[in-house]
Amino acid sequence: MPLHHLHLLLIEDNLFDADLFRRAMLLHDATITITHIDSYQAAYAHLSSLSTTAPSYNGVILDLHLRDGDGLDLLAYIRARHLPLTVIILTGGGGDHMVISALKAGADDYVIKRDDYLDRISAIIEQACQRFHSQQARRSQTITVTYVESGATDSETTIHYLQRTAPHLHCVPVRSQRTFVHALARGHPAGDVVLIDCAQPRLAMLDLVKELLQFRRLAQPIIVMAQPGNEEFPLQALRLGVADYIIKREGFLAQLPIAIENAHYRAQLHQQNERLRLQAQALNDAANAIMIADRNGIIEWVNPAFTTLTGYEATEAIGQSTRLLRSGKQDRAFYTALWDQILAGNPWRGRLINRRKDGSLYHEEMTITPVTDEDGMISHFIAIKQDISEQVAREQRRATLAAIGTSLRPAQSWAELTPILLERVRETFAAESIALLRPHNGILHVDIALSHLATLEQQPAVLASLSDRFRHISGPISVSDLLSATGKTVIGAPLYAANRLVGVLLLQRATPLSEAELDLLNDIAELSANALHRTDLFDQLRAANAELRAAYDETIEGWSRALDLRDRETEGHSRRVTELTVRIAARMGFSEEELLHVRRGALLHDIGKMGIPDAILLKPGPLNDEEWKVMRTHPTLAVELLHPIAFLAPALDIPWCHHEKWDGTGYPRGLRGEEIPLAARIFAVVDVYDALTSDRPYRAAWLRERALAYIREQAGCHFDPRVVKVFEQVIAEMGSNDIMR
């Protein structure tokens, strides 16, 4: 407890000394209150009036030599009443024997009136009060005492005394040492302190001590009590390792609680010291670097792993600021946020780049934990550091590969992919020049190159040498000796895919590549080879698809010509209506893919007539009602014919719906307005226009103006008005019927 605001009771019959004491204490702290009593009788009466729970004083300053009585008697009275008061003996004579007697009787400290005692007395009183306060706090904690009798003893008297004078000492009586040993064997606890009361000197008592300490390794402290004249046995027990011994002379009971408490707290202190020793050893042996700094960031302790990580010996780091390791890679805002967090009492964990003693940089993951003192104020910080440079390198490597892979993925051809690849590799390795070589007939040729390496195109001998060198190489190698690049490093990485060499990546720069960079280049080479191989496969697939599509389209055009011939249409009808329909659809915003299906649908617009009997299809005269019913089924027959062919399914709009009309009077389903697919609406206009402007067996071709007038007339009835408008624009731009010829 602090010295300030103390209330002290001074029992001193020398008024001069009392005044000196008062002056010295008030000079030290004016807030101290001192009550002075100058006689034994007055002091005894005053002490008798004090409460045993709240005596209103923090301590008693007691002169042992009073005119009307003995100060030791007052000390005994204070302790007998269990007044929670610190007692400091003040004496001018009597020697060491008197002081020792006072301490044994329960005094907390003493001051001898000699020399500069007034200069020292305030500090002595403060420390004594603090010790007493700590002791009182400890006495609020129960201590379990296992009371083992060895022979007939006065244990009941002792236990009764402890219950009355020291209720925090909880005694558990055990009537014989054999019972105690059996209880331990069955796993029963031994309590906090073991008290062995030996009535007569017996070897059995020493045997018990040996078994408890040497064989059972009992962690609890042991106190041995013996009768006067039997001092030899307790001394032998002390040599075996017991914590203390007590000879049961007159007044021993007053010593017993203190002995038990001291033994218990010494054992706790020993265990605490052992834990601290183990913790210190663990901190020293820890694989992670550990640093302890004060509130101002001054290093107070580091473990050997700190030296391994940073290169700084403990003697070089201790006393230095933690700024010793800063690399400059984090800005002031970073450290401001860090300090704000830990000074607020919150742990901080994060990554940063620090600098070793040799100047090299490393990536570190650090956890900083604030440590508070007994008043709850932050006093220190514990930092645990781990070198994560390799982990960061792996993460950066994965991120680089992922970024390059992402940038290459959209490329669908070798020509699209290679410029992207070279630019990304040049950025990654800070290369001055870079090139991609591609094999042809066993010889490497420059496919694409940037800067100096582009001159390889004029060096066939060098390319031949490179071809020989990379014929059986699986990883990046230096080829600086083959190129005239004085003082430069040139590295070549072979690109293998599907067990064949698809290319060689060359890069040139001023400095050699590190091992990590070579590993990264090897990974990039593997990624690039697979990407280039993918584009080759894609080109092959695209060529195969183009050939297949051409075959499909040629087949469709063959079907179209066959339909024209069978239906006796004018020559080229399907081709003409197809080209004009595609042109108008393009004007109205159809995509390339959609125009492909429009073209196929227009060519196959009458494919359903394959299912119409020749007698009806080729009848020279008008069809009757029954024959018209059959004829009007050809759009439905077209769907039945084409729908099973998957690649023709998107082209069904025109064959199925080109006879539907804007006003809903068409067939086969009577669709109206925009219910009719736009491709079919466009084709309907073109088909009628081509029919009107072409010669037929039953009439001559109409003139262009007359056909256009009819188309305009049918807008909103037969045809979509918007389609008619676009149709007229396209015809006007053509200026003639060239497309119909």
Side-chain angles (χ1 to χ4, degrees):
M1 65 189 306
L3 180 61
H4 302 294
H5 309 300
L6 289 181
H7 188 186
L8 302 176
L9 175 62
L10 174 63
I11 303 175
E12 169 65 72
D13 59 359
N14 187 320
L15 298 181
F16 179 74
D17 287 346
D19 186 60
L20 288 177
F21 175 81
R22 182 189 301 273
R23 290 174 182 273
M25 296 304 296
L26 293 177
L27 181 64
H28 183 79
D29 188 344
T31 65
I32 294 176
T33 304
I34 300 172
T35 299
H36 177 218
I37 298 177
D38 61 359
S39 71
Y40 175 90
Q41 294 297 331
Y44 189 90
H46 187 67
L47 291 172
S48 300
S49 67
L50 296 180
S51 167
T52 57
T53 57
S56 73
Y57 295 105
N58 301 108
V60 177
I61 314 302
L62 174 62
D63 186 3
L64 289 181
H65 302 287
L66 300 170
R67 287 188 301 272
D68 57 342
D70 190 347
L72 286 178
D73 292 341
L74 290 178
L75 173 60
Y77 182 67
I78 291 171
R79 292 300 177 232
R81 288 201 65 207
H82 306 293
L83 293 172
L85 294 171
T86 307
V87 179
I88 296 97
I89 297 301
L90 190 63
T91 180
D96 294 339
H97 176 73
M98 181 66 70
V99 170
I100 292 172
S101 298
L103 293 176
K104 285 185 176 180
D108 296 288
D109 212 333
Y110 67 93
V111 178
I112 298 177
K113 298 177 184 178
R114 62 173 66 145
D115 300 330
D116 56 349
Y117 81 94
L118 290 174
D119 295 332
R120 296 180 286 106
I121 196 166
S122 59
I124 293 173
I125 292 173
E126 178 181 13
Q127 293 169 7
C129 289
Q130 288 176 341
R131 287 196 305 272
F132 185 82
H133 177 75
S134 298
Q135 187 179 47
Q136 290 297 108
R138 289 188 312 192
R139 288 195 172 190
S140 65
Q141 303 172 1
T142 300
I143 300 175
T144 302
V145 181
T146 302
Y147 195 123
V148 182
E149 293 184 78
S150 180
T153 68
D154 53 354
S155 61
E156 292 184 2
T157 302
T158 303
I159 292 173
H160 178 72
Y161 175 82
L162 292 176
Q163 289 174 342
R164 180 173 56 84
T165 61
H168 64 290
L169 301 179
H170 176 63
C171 291
V172 179
V174 179
R175 296 306 177 188
S176 71
Q177 60 190 58
R178 179 177 298 177
T179 302
F180 179 55
V181 172
H182 288 169
L184 291 178
R186 291 193 296 270
H188 290 188
D192 299 312
V193 177
V194 176
L195 180 63
I196 300 176
D197 190 352
C198 181
Q200 297 296 329
R202 292 183 181 179
L203 292 176
M205 185 268 287
L206 294 179
D207 291 338
L208 173 62
V209 171
K210 286 181 181 179
E211 179 171 355
L212 295 178
L213 294 177
Q214 298 178 4
F215 299 105
R216 296 190 179 274
R217 305 275 182 189
L218 195 70
Q220 290 81 352
I222 300 173
I223 299 175
V224 176
M225 292 196 302
Q227 296 292 338
N230 297 330
E231 288 85 352
E232 182 63 26
F233 279 88
L235 288 174
Q236 291 182 29
L238 194 64
R239 295 189 187 101
L240 291 175
V242 300
D244 203 349
Y245 73 94
I246 292 179
I247 304 300
K248 300 169 70 173
R249 295 188 178 92
E250 182 180 355
F252 82 92
L253 288 175
Q255 302 173 20
L256 185 57
I258 298 174
I260 293 173
E261 290 174 0
N262 289 341
H264 173 63
Y265 290 117
R266 280 201 306 271
Q268 283 193 330
L269 183 61
H270 174 75
Q271 293 171 2
Q272 182 179 3
N273 289 337
E274 183 63 17
R275 286 195 299 270
L276 290 174
R277 186 189 67 80
L278 292 174
Q279 291 169 1
Q281 182 177 346
L283 292 175
N284 273 298
D285 296 342
N288 289 343
I290 301 175
M291 175 182 73
I292 299 177
D294 67 13
R295 183 184 176 89
N296 297 316
I298 302 301
I299 300 172
E300 294 188 354
W301 182 87
V302 297
N303 69 343
F306 177 91
T307 300
T308 303
L309 174 63
T310 67
Y312 288 100
E313 297 291 341
T315 54
E316 297 173 306
I318 293 174
Q320 298 291 326
S321 169
T322 54
R323 290 191 294 272
L324 178 72
L325 302 176
R326 289 192 182 181
S327 64
K329 298 296 184 180
Q330 287 78 222
D331 58 17
R332 179 176 296 180
F334 173 88
Y335 289 106
T336 299
L338 184 156
W339 277 98
D340 286 346
Q341 183 164 334
I342 60 177
L343 287 174
N346 302 313
W348 180 91
R349 183 175 184 177
R351 292 182 173 187
L352 65 163
I353 301 174
N354 272 342
R355 188 183 303 276
R356 297 186 178 91
K357 180 181 176 181
D358 62 8
S360 61
L361 303 181
Y362 67 97
H363 290 266
E364 175 184 298
E365 185 172 72
M366 179 168 63
T367 300
I368 305 176
T369 303
V371 179
T372 57
D373 58 20
E374 59 184 8
D375 296 324
M377 300 296 293
I378 295 174
S379 60
H380 291 83
F381 300 103
I382 299 177
I384 301 177
K385 300 167 171 286
Q386 181 179 3
D387 187 353
I388 57 169
S389 298
E390 292 185 3
Q391 177 184 339
V392 170
R394 289 193 298 269
E395 292 173 355
Q396 291 175 343
R397 183 169 164 182
R398 287 195 295 267
T400 299
L401 291 173
I404 293 176
T406 300
S407 64
L408 297 181
R409 196 168 294 119
Q412 296 183 348
S413 67
W414 182 288
E416 293 175 356
L417 187 146
T418 49
I420 301 172
L421 171 62
L422 263 62
E423 183 59 27
R424 293 308 303 267
V425 173
R426 186 191 65 77
E427 292 176 356
T428 300
F429 296 98
E432 299 173 353
S433 180
I434 192 163
L436 177 65
L437 310 183
R438 191 173 187 180
H440 180 67
N441 295 330
I443 301 296
L444 292 171
H445 297 272
V446 177
D447 183 77
I448 183 173
L450 303 176
S451 190
H452 176 73
L453 291 176
T455 60
L456 284 174
E457 290 182 314
Q458 288 79 44
Q459 302 179 60
V462 175
L463 290 172
S465 299
L466 289 170
S467 302
D468 292 337
R469 183 164 295 186
F470 284 102
R471 192 157 283 129
H472 303 293
I473 296 297
S474 59
I477 59 170
S478 173
V479 291
S480 303
D481 58 311
L482 297 180
L483 290 93
S484 56
T486 306
K488 304 293 184 181
T489 295
V490 183
I491 298 293
L495 311 180
Y496 279 95
N499 295 320
R500 69 182 183 90
L501 184 69
V502 298
V504 172
L505 193 61
L506 294 180
L507 65 90
Q508 173 184 305
R509 74 178 197 182
T511 57
L513 273 69
S514 66
E515 288 296 325
E517 288 178 314
L518 287 173
D519 290 342
L520 176 59
L521 179 59
N522 190 54
D523 289 344
I524 291 175
E526 182 178 348
L527 175 68
S528 304
N530 290 331
L532 292 169
H533 182 58
R534 172 177 56 81
T535 62
D536 280 344
L537 294 177
F538 188 79
D539 287 342
Q540 295 172 16
L541 179 61
R542 185 160 46 190
N545 285 339
E547 292 177 3
L548 184 61
R549 179 176 291 180
Y552 286 161
D553 289 342
E554 289 174 2
T555 300
I556 292 170
E557 289 181 3
W559 289 353
S560 177
R561 287 193 296 272
L563 286 171
D564 283 354
L565 292 174
R566 182 170 183 266
D567 198 17
R568 295 179 181 176
E569 295 276 13
T570 57
E571 183 180 356
H573 165 72
S574 293
R575 178 186 59 80
R576 291 194 305 274
V577 295
T578 296
E579 296 301 331
L580 186 53
T581 300
V582 169
R583 180 174 294 193
I584 295 172
R587 177 68 59 86
M588 298 188 73
F590 280 60
S591 66
E592 290 295 327
E593 184 69 18
E594 291 170 330
L595 291 175
L596 175 64
H597 299 309
V598 168
R599 177 179 180 79
R600 290 173 179 170
L603 286 170
L604 298 175
H605 68 281
D606 274 344
I607 190 67
K609 290 183 178 179
M610 295 285 289
I612 303 300
D614 288 349
I616 297 174
L617 183 67
L618 304 179
K619 183 177 180 180
L623 300 179
N624 59 34
D625 291 342
E626 291 300 321
E627 290 170 336
W628 268 116
K629 287 182 181 179
V630 175
M631 178 62 75
R632 287 172 177 166
T633 63
H634 78 271
T636 305
L637 294 174
V639 174
E640 294 174 357
L641 179 63
L642 298 179
H643 190 268
I645 305 173
F647 88 97
L648 289 178
L652 285 176
D653 285 348
I654 292 177
W656 194 6
C657 303
H658 69 285
H659 284 299
E660 301 286 358
K661 294 183 179 181
W662 184 257
D663 61 4
T665 60
Y667 66 90
R669 293 181 290 166
L671 300 179
R672 178 187 300 274
E674 293 187 0
E675 293 176 350
I676 308 168
L678 181 56
R681 284 181 264 151
I682 295 171
F683 183 83
V685 176
V686 175
D687 188 38
V688 170
Y689 181 80
D690 183 74
L692 293 176
T693 56
S694 301
D695 289 327
R696 295 296 170 92
Y698 48 86
R699 62 162 173 79
W702 287 14
L703 293 176
R704 176 173 177 270
E705 289 74 15
R706 182 183 176 188
L708 286 173
Y710 178 78
I711 295 296
R712 283 192 291 270
E713 179 185 327
Q714 291 297 312
C717 179
H718 188 167
F719 308 123
D720 179 351
R722 187 166 63 97
V723 173
V724 170
K725 185 178 294 186
V726 177
F727 172 80
E728 288 188 282
Q729 292 172 358
V730 172
I731 293 297
E733 290 170 3
M734 293 169 57
S736 68
N737 283 345
D738 288 344
I739 197 169
M740 297 302 170
R741 296 178 181 175

